[in-house]
Amino acid sequence: MAVENTPARIGKSVVIRGEVKGSEDLFVDGRVEGTITLSESRLTIGPNAVLAADLTAKDVLIQGQVQGNIVASGRVELRAGCAVTGDVRALRLAIEDNAIFRGKVDLTQGPAAAAAKAAESAQPQESEAAGGLS
């Protein structure tokens, strides 16, 4: 039987123009033009891949060439030798030495972390105000 954890694979001789959507992990080593959306899955861009696409996934690992914006609810990892031109929005970002990146970065926080930070910043202000009244 096939192993359940094995990601779907787009080989290096495959060219796709359009939209790729899915709910399982995906390894891309070919050419994709358009969009790739894997809301709750991991997207791996192989070393032979050439993408002109916007990417959306839980985690994104890039080893090849990407031209387009990247949105991840988790982590984006740019490995040595990759080339990325576009904006990155993610919870975490890792860039190795010799990775090429041109674009803007927005490291967003998850809803729970944002709520906790807002509560922490509101609490000291209240206590300071109460201390100033007495």
Side-chain angles (χ1 to χ4, degrees):
M1 287 196 133
V3 179
E4 291 292 321
N5 299 12
T6 306
R9 187 174 186 92
I10 296 175
K12 58 184 170 183
S13 65
V14 177
V15 177
I16 296 176
R17 287 190 179 89
E19 187 174 1
V20 177
K21 282 186 174 185
S23 58
E24 62 185 282
D25 294 348
L26 178 63
F27 181 88
V28 178
D29 213 19
R31 262 186 91 89
V32 177
E33 297 175 13
T35 61
I36 299 177
T37 305
L38 307 171
S39 304
E40 294 301 316
S41 304
R42 179 179 179 86
L43 174 61
T44 302
I45 307 303
N48 299 307
V50 178
L51 276 65
D54 289 335
L55 312 176
T56 304
K58 181 179 177 187
D59 296 314
V60 181
L61 171 80
I62 301 175
Q63 299 169 315
Q65 297 180 30
V66 176
Q67 183 172 356
N69 297 326
I70 302 166
V71 177
S73 57
R75 175 184 178 99
V76 173
E77 197 171 331
L78 306 182
R79 292 280 174 94
C82 79
V84 176
T85 303
D87 297 342
V88 173
R89 194 171 96 212
L91 193 60
R92 296 184 311 264
L93 173 65
I95 303 175
E96 289 185 356
D97 289 344
N98 297 324
I100 299 169
F101 173 69
R102 290 181 205 90
K104 292 186 277 186
V105 175
D106 179 10
L107 296 179
T108 59
Q109 295 180 342
K117 188 172 182 178
E120 285 176 14
S121 64
Q123 193 174 13
Q125 291 173 350
E126 292 172 8
S127 63
E128 289 173 13
L133 293 175
S134 51

